Structures are given as structure tokens and as C-alpha cells.
Amino acid sequence: MEKLDRPKKFQCRYLPNSRPNAKTFRPCPGFKIYRNVEGLPAEKFSENGNEIAWGTIGNASTSEGHFWETLNAAGVMQVPMVLSVWDDEYGISVHAKHQTTKENISEIVKGFQRDEENKGYEIIVVNGWDYVALIEAYEKAEKIARREHCPVLIHVVELTQPQGHSTSGSHERYKNEQRLSWEREYDCNVKFRKWILENNISTDEELQNIEKEIKREVREGKKKAWNKYAEPTKAKQKELLVVLSKLAKNTEKKDTVVKLAKDLNANKEPLKKDLAVAARKTLRAIRKENSEEKSQLLNWLKEFEKDMANDYNSHLYIESNGIQTEVLPEYDEDSAEVDGRIILRDNFDQIFGNIPETLIFGEDTGEIGDVNQGLEGLQKKYGKLRVADVGIREATILGQGIGMAMRGLRPIAEIQYLDYVMYAIQGMSDDLATLQYRTKGKQKAPLIIRTRGHRLEGIWHSGSQMGGILNLVRGMYVLVPRNMTKAAGFYNTLLKQDTPALLVECLNGYRLKEKKPSNLADLRTPIGKVETIREGSDITLVSYGSTLRIVTQTAEELSEYGINAEVIDIQSLLPFDLDHDIVKSVEKTNRLLVIDEDVPGGASAYILDKVLNEQNAWRYLDSKPQTLTAKEHRPAYGTDGDYFSKPSAEDIFEKVYSIFNEVNPEEYPAIR
């Protein structure tokens, strides 16, 4: 590419061998999907893929892993994006010499620069204070990214930081006078103003008048914005003061109420919190009284808190918070017993055949049809864009999925094992799980994350880190089907709604035989609903996933010793038992044991909290509710490692038996 023809001081630099072509940035190859996959409703989301992605990051944040993973992923996929690195030589107070090799990100990413033989990046370096160079650099970057589907990195250097990183700090604390003097001279606004005058675009007098007018507009805009925000609160303040005034005339705590009302009235810029505090402290003071005025205050607070819940606590999930409609599997007379993976494969086949927006991508997903053959032959049938292999890079697998889902597609992002979801957990927690909440339902990303875990023999491939996941991804569904028929039903259900989900298939279930349903396309597993898979009267055993098979087996063994256990499959951890069926079981059995292969205090603690505190099952218990979990460490290697690390049939039997030993030691004498 030829150098731009302008004075040297206004040039932006292109790294050698160039030719035409918030912390987490999401490279979205959805543009290519819209360009190349037929049958998509592109008119709603895209101009047939004629678009590019824009990303931005500070120079210090390029030290983090997400940046490098994104940089590599976008280069491999040739994502049409323009990624800006804004460089003021500092990361808050820490200089670039502590952040970046050579103190220069564009220097150390030269290996990504494309050349005549290899695809890669176009890399542009431009001074942040140079108005003309910036315009030309971004115009050039836009054309390259859009026309050639080549990613472009723009390193914007020589930027200034006119204020501290936050209101609690000042850049003057860590910059010397020489640096501060340079920043005053090279401030972007100062340089822009000078460029306007040098090019006779305006006069100094005109600019002074513009600057005065801008300051006036900003002050007025600030005042107008604040008033618009504050007026509803002030209106509620007046309402509450009227209620408190009436109450003060008919209460034994008149002095307290009058003081609270006086303090509230004196607050000329009240926050909503101030109103709630006044109302709740008043109710605290008059807690022993009953009057019409107290009822009015209670009603006011109830409506106010309802409004606040809508403002601050709504839209974490879709409003229905789960789907209760269930379509059970149907079987023909000749329905065969097949490997569980066949049910998954054939269900994905009908999904991709019926829903053009769907696609799946991940580690070993494409050519070999995933490591467990749940996608066998589907890449050949649906093409490499819809059933795609990607590199081992979990954070950007997640990022691709978020971007695609926000662009109207229905992606399924496959992360090979639950253990490696940990590499994507930040994006799941910070970005995906919060999207609908932080936009109050205005944005959504119905991404399905497919993975597998539990009960395999190996420290890195048998993870059950559910407690950590559950507490980090509120805003997503977490589904734990016990077999592949249930998993197929969950996929079908999720594609009918818009909440993102993590679906964990049983890692040891792909070769277990299941009867193949004849109604795969119609199959639905309800979200947020448990299933009782064994009726019983003496104790409620609650579990999920692979461990559930061991629980069911043990329940049959317990029956031989006179203990009739009811076994419940949770199925859905988020949301959890929306119909409160577990407490109905406990009301019948009066005893509860939660069995889980997570560490102590992990998912079992979450489940117990839901059942005892939310469903109030404690009212029906005749024995202490207990949990049986894995050991605190990761599972050791081999079959023996699994046996001695996670709950075994013998562990479950002895735990249940010990509960009945405490109840009736004569009938159930101690085993050991």
C-alpha cells in the first residue's frame, strides 16, 4: 500500500509488507454466515453480511489473555473488523515498560501482518493528536475490512490522558513535569484547534465563541438531564410526605415520624434510596400499631418497591423464567436401542434441517463430528460454516457465539469439556449472563453453550465445578440432563426461547443405550422442572447428571433393606424446581439427602438452600437434611480414582442407612 501523500508529521504508518486486503472484544464471523448461508432472514439483521465489526481496547489491556486470543482468532477466521488500541503509554498509573514488551504493541504483533503469501492483519500506526491522519487511517481501515474481509489493527499512539483514571486519583501523581508539559501541548483538542486555525477553517474569535456556546450547552444539558432523572423521585417524595403527615396525626410515635418526615423534606436532591429508608424506618417505629394511615404507608411502600424491582432487579432471565411445556418421547414398535450419541446426532440433524439460523462450532466439532460423535457426518451434510471446527480458544468460542446470537443467529458454541468452560467463565459471567439485565430486556444473546462433564476417569476431564458456575452465571440457564434423550429435548426447548444457556451432557453417556424416540423434532424437556424417577415414602434423594444413575441403582439396593427411597432428577439447576416439587416429596418422606459430585459446599449447598430456605422444606423434616458430595480435590486418575473421589453406590447406601440408624438403631444397626 502506498504511503498517504501528506506532510510527514501528519502521516500514519503501515507496517512493512502491507498490501490491500472493553477488555473483551467479540470477533463475530456472523457476517460470513449471512453472506454464504441460504434461507436466513438477513434483512432483519444484516445487509447480506456487508458490514464490519469495530472494537476498542486500551494499550495496557493488551497484556491480557483475552486480547491475544481474540487477535489470533480474528486473524485465523479473517473477521472483517477494525480493532483500535488506544495508547497513552500508561495502564492507570503503570507505565508501558511494565506492560508491554518493547513498550509497543504494534511492534510485537508484526508477525500478524499479512504479506503476499499469507493472510493476517493490516496494521496501521497513527498519532492520536493528528486529526487528518486519523480520518485517513480509519477510512482506509474500513475499506480493507469491508471489501476484503481482512482484520485491521489500528495502534493509536501519542495520546494524552487529561484526567485521572477515576475521581479518586489524578495522573499528576505518577507523571513527571516533562510528561505533563508534553500532554498539555499535545492534547487532542489543543492540536485540533491549532489545525483549524492553521488551515484557515475558522478564526480564533469564532472558536472562542463556539467554545463558550458549547460550555453553555453542556451546563444546560447536564441540568436538563438531572432534572429529568430527579423529577420522578421528587414526585414520589411528595407522595410519601403526604402519607407521613397523615400518619403523624394518628400515632404514638409522632415525634419519630415528624423527624423522619422533616429530614426527608429537607433533602432537596433525594435518591430513591432515601425514600425507602424513611418509609421503612417509620414502619419500624410504629411496628406495634394498627391504623388506616399505617396501611396507607404499607401500600405506598409496596408499590414503590415494585417499581424499584422493575428498575433495578428485572430482566435477569426472560420474564417467563423457564418453560413448563413438556413433550415426552414417543416410541414405535420397532424403535431401536441405540447409543445415546445417535439420539443427539439425529436431533441436531433435524435442528439444522429445520432452522436455518442454527449452527454449531467448537473444538473437534466439524470434521470428526465432535469427540463423542454426536455430530457425526453433519459437516458434510450442512457445510463447514454451519458445522465448524475452531481452535482451542474457549474465550473466543464464547465471544463468537455472543456476537452471532446478537446478530440474529442461533449459535451453539461447543466447549469440549466442562473443565475448560473455566477459560470462558469471565465472558459468561460479565458479558453473556448480564446482557439482558443490564439493558433491561432491550438486548439479548440466546447462545447455547454445549459441553460435557462428570464421572470420567481423569483429573482434567471429569470436572463438576457446578457450584462455582452456578454462582457466576446468574442470568443464564444451567441444564444437566441425565441422558441424551433429555439433552435433545433441552436443545429443542432452548431454540424456542431467548435465554442463553449452558447445557452439560453426561460424558459417560454417549455409548450407553437408549431407546430412540420417533418424535425427535417435537421432543421438549421442560426447563425449571424436576422429574421424580422413582416413587418412595421414606427419604427423598435428590441428584442430577451421571451421579443420578448411581443414586437410582442404590435406591433399589436400599429397598432390599426396608428403605423405600424417592429419587428426584433436578434436570435444571438454573432455574431450579419452579413448581417446588421437591418440598412436596419431603412433606411425604420427611427426610432429605442431596447427592452431588461437586466439592463440599458447592452445588449441594446451592440445592439445599433452595429446598430449605426457598421451599421451606425444613417444616417437614424429621431428620437432619444432609449432603453427600465428592472430596475437596479434583477426581484422581482411573476407576479407583473415581470411586474414592466421588460418591459411590456404597457411599450413598451407607449415608442413607446411617440416617435410619439414627432413627431406629434396633431395626437398622450400624454397619460399621
Side-chain angles (χ1 to χ4, degrees):
M1 183 185 300
E2 70 280 4
K3 301 272 188 177
L4 297 178
D5 185 18
R6 59 175 179 270
K8 185 174 181 180
K9 66 176 181 177
F10 288 133
Q11 287 182 351
C12 64
R13 294 187 287 118
Y14 301 86
L15 294 194
N17 300 318
S18 64
R19 64 177 175 83
N21 188 16
K23 187 184 285 188
T24 304
F25 178 66
R26 297 186 281 271
C28 177
F31 317 127
K32 294 185 178 181
I33 303 298
Y34 279 117
R35 281 190 177 190
N36 296 286
V37 176
E38 294 182 1
L40 295 176
E43 68 279 357
K44 294 182 180 180
F45 299 99
S46 172
E47 294 183 0
N48 296 312
N50 182 29
E51 54 195 85
I52 59 176
W54 296 85
T56 180
I57 190 169
N59 61 297
S61 294
T62 63
S63 302
E64 297 184 298
H66 281 78
F67 171 80
W68 291 97
E69 189 171 325
T70 300
L71 197 69
N72 182 53
V76 169
M77 294 185 290
Q78 289 292 279
V79 174
M81 76 170 187
V82 177
L83 177 58
S84 299
V85 179
W86 306 100
D87 192 345
D88 68 347
E89 294 188 25
Y90 287 85
I92 306 181
S93 66
V94 180
H95 191 267
K97 65 185 178 183
H98 302 295
Q99 307 274 5
T100 308
T101 302
K102 298 184 179 181
E103 301 181 29
N104 190 317
I105 189 64
S106 56
E107 280 293 309
I108 61 174
V109 300
K110 282 183 177 180
F112 287 88
Q113 173 66 49
R114 62 183 181 161
D115 55 36
E116 294 292 341
E117 298 179 356
N118 299 290
K119 294 181 179 180
Y121 275 76
E122 188 63 47
I123 302 175
I124 300 172
V125 183
V126 61
N127 291 328
W129 49 264
D130 191 335
Y131 176 66
V132 174
L134 283 168
I135 291 176
E136 294 180 347
Y138 277 92
E139 285 180 343
K140 183 68 70 174
E142 184 269 340
K143 290 176 183 177
I144 293 171
R146 190 183 303 278
R147 295 176 183 176
E148 303 174 44
H149 269 208
C150 168
V152 182
L153 184 145
I154 302 180
H155 186 195
V156 186
V157 299
E158 295 197 9
L159 286 172
T160 61
Q161 183 184 14
Q163 294 180 328
H165 181 73
S166 69
T167 55
S168 61
S170 168
H171 66 152
E172 294 171 346
R173 292 165 55 191
Y174 52 85
K175 292 176 182 174
N176 59 34
E177 181 52 39
Q178 182 181 5
R179 172 71 190 197
L180 292 171
S181 176
W182 179 88
E183 291 199 7
R184 286 190 289 270
E185 181 181 355
Y186 282 83
D187 178 276
C188 295
N189 290 323
V190 171
K191 296 293 286 186
F192 182 44
R193 193 181 197 279
K194 183 178 180 181
W195 176 83
I196 291 173
L197 294 174
E198 288 177 347
N199 287 272
N200 298 317
I201 296 172
S202 182
T203 66
D204 184 67
E205 183 180 359
E206 288 172 332
L207 291 180
Q208 289 184 39
N209 290 333
I210 290 173
E211 290 161 357
K212 290 179 182 178
E213 180 63 18
I214 288 172
K215 289 180 180 179
R216 185 190 64 78
E217 289 181 6
V218 169
R219 285 193 296 267
E220 290 182 356
K222 174 186 173 183
K223 183 178 179 181
K224 185 177 180 180
W226 176 254
N227 288 339
K228 186 175 181 180
Y229 169 78
E231 281 170 6
T233 304
K234 290 182 177 180
K236 286 290 184 181
Q237 179 191 34
K238 291 179 181 178
E239 288 180 10
L240 179 56
L241 287 170
V242 170
V243 173
L244 294 178
S245 177
K246 291 179 180 179
L247 178 64
K249 297 175 183 178
N250 186 26
T251 176
E252 296 177 0
K253 300 293 183 179
K254 179 178 180 179
D255 290 345
T256 301
V257 175
V258 168
K259 184 179 186 309
L260 287 167
K262 184 178 179 181
D263 291 344
L264 180 61
N265 187 53
N267 190 340
K268 301 306 178 184
E269 299 291 350
L271 299 174
K272 296 170 186 176
K273 165 200 164 187
D274 299 326
L275 277 60
V277 169
R280 295 169 75 175
K281 284 191 173 182
T282 300
L283 287 169
R284 183 193 306 173
I286 63 171
R287 64 192 181 281
K288 296 181 179 180
E289 300 179 11
N290 290 297
S291 66
E292 177 63 27
E293 292 79 7
K294 179 180 178 180
S295 296
Q296 291 177 5
L297 178 57
L298 285 167
N299 290 336
W300 182 92
L301 183 59
K302 181 179 179 181
E303 288 301 311
F304 182 74
E305 289 182 335
K306 181 179 178 181
D307 290 341
M308 295 306 100
N310 182 57
D311 284 347
Y312 298 106
N313 309 119
S314 64
H315 294 86
L316 182 59
Y317 303 93
I318 60 172
E319 293 305 292
S320 61
N321 194 24
I323 292 180
Q324 300 301 308
T325 303
E326 182 173 16
V327 179
L328 293 169
E330 298 175 0
Y331 303 99
D332 298 332
E333 291 183 3
D334 59 349
S335 292
E337 292 274 339
V338 299
D339 290 348
R341 73 171 187 89
I342 300 297
I343 294 173
L344 276 178
R345 182 199 66 187
D346 291 355
N347 191 64
F348 281 129
D349 190 8
Q350 67 85 17
I351 285 173
F352 299 144
N354 294 328
I355 310 173
E357 296 92 337
T358 55
L359 65 157
I360 189 167
F361 54 93
E363 297 150 338
D364 298 302
T365 297
E367 186 171 353
I368 69 170
D370 88 42
V371 291
N372 299 104
Q373 298 288 277
L375 296 163
E376 179 189 21
L378 296 186
Q379 184 182 82
K380 185 175 182 180
K381 184 172 183 179
Y382 293 102
K384 293 183 178 180
L385 284 174
R386 294 192 67 194
V387 184
D389 285 312
V390 302
I392 300 176
R393 45 178 187 258
E394 288 80 11
T396 48
I397 289 174
L398 174 75
Q400 286 174 236
I402 295 173
M404 287 179 175
M406 293 182 73
R407 300 299 295 139
L409 299 171
R410 294 307 306 259
I412 302 172
E414 180 163 328
I415 293 178
Q416 195 160 103
Y417 297 109
L418 182 62
D419 301 75
Y420 304 131
V421 167
M422 298 299 104
Y423 290 98
I425 198 71
Q426 180 194 347
M428 290 169 61
S429 181
D430 288 354
D431 297 326
L432 183 57
T434 67
L435 179 62
Q436 180 164 273
Y437 166 74
R438 56 191 157 90
T439 63
K440 203 176 181 182
K442 291 182 175 63
Q443 289 185 316
K444 59 187 179 183
L447 169 64
I448 300 172
I449 301 170
R450 180 194 184 206
T451 191
R452 50 195 65 83
H454 312 315
R455 304 306 302 216
L456 196 70
E457 299 172 1
I459 191 169
W460 303 120
H461 294 81
S462 53
S464 300
Q465 309 92 333
M466 302 309 300
I469 292 170
L470 288 170
N471 288 300
L472 289 169
V473 301
R474 303 296 171 92
M476 294 177 60
Y477 292 155
V478 177
L479 309 177
V480 283
R482 68 178 181 271
N483 58 37
M484 302 312 163
T485 301
K486 289 290 184 180
F490 271 139
Y491 285 116
N492 295 345
T493 300
L494 288 169
L495 289 168
K496 294 294 183 182
Q497 58 144 299
D498 291 331
T499 293
L502 172 69
L503 196 152
V504 185
E505 298 166 8
C506 292
L507 189 49
N508 59 3
Y510 295 105
R511 295 296 186 269
L512 295 179
K513 299 297 182 183
E514 299 181 35
K515 201 171 184 179
K516 183 180 174 182
S518 59
N519 62 332
L520 276 179
D522 300 318
L523 196 63
R524 301 285 186 275
T525 304
I527 292 173
K529 189 171 181 64
V530 304
E531 181 179 356
T532 301
I533 60 176
R534 187 186 192 279
E535 298 282 348
S537 56
D538 296 332
I539 188 170
T540 299
L541 305 181
V542 176
S543 191
Y544 61 88
S546 296
T547 300
L548 193 74
R549 286 194 288 273
I550 303 174
V551 174
T552 306
Q553 168 197 331
T554 308
E556 297 302 321
E557 296 176 2
L558 285 164
S559 67
E560 299 173 10
Y561 289 77
I563 300 172
N564 187 10
E566 184 150 294
V567 179
I568 294 179
D569 180 7
I570 292 170
Q571 299 194 107
S572 170
L573 285 164
L574 286 175
F576 182 89
D577 189 11
L578 297 175
D579 291 338
H580 289 193
D581 287 326
I582 295 177
V583 71
K584 298 170 190 174
S585 173
V586 175
E587 185 177 3
K588 176 175 62 174
T589 67
N590 307 120
R591 291 176 179 85
L592 172 66
L593 175 64
V594 176
I595 303 101
D596 172 53
E597 56 179 290
D598 196 4
V599 297
S604 59
Y606 163 82
I607 295 165
L608 209 59
D609 175 72
K610 285 286 187 180
V611 177
L612 295 182
N613 294 328
E614 189 173 294
Q615 300 186 11
N616 293 317
W618 56 270
R619 296 177 296 178
Y620 307 111
L621 289 170
D622 291 337
S623 297
K624 181 181 75 171
Q626 297 192 49
T627 64
L628 178 61
T629 69
K631 299 296 190 293
E632 292 190 42
H633 54 73
R634 290 289 188 96
Y637 286 107
T639 300
D640 285 343
D642 174 80
Y643 183 87
F644 291 106
S645 298
K646 293 191 173 185
S648 66
E650 287 69 39
D651 292 332
I652 299 167
F653 184 98
E654 291 173 8
K655 173 67 80 169
V656 174
Y657 189 90
S658 69
I659 293 172
F660 285 87
N661 167 255
E662 183 181 41
V663 173
N664 189 341
E666 292 185 3
E667 185 173 352
Y668 303 99
I671 294 175
R672 55 176 176 158

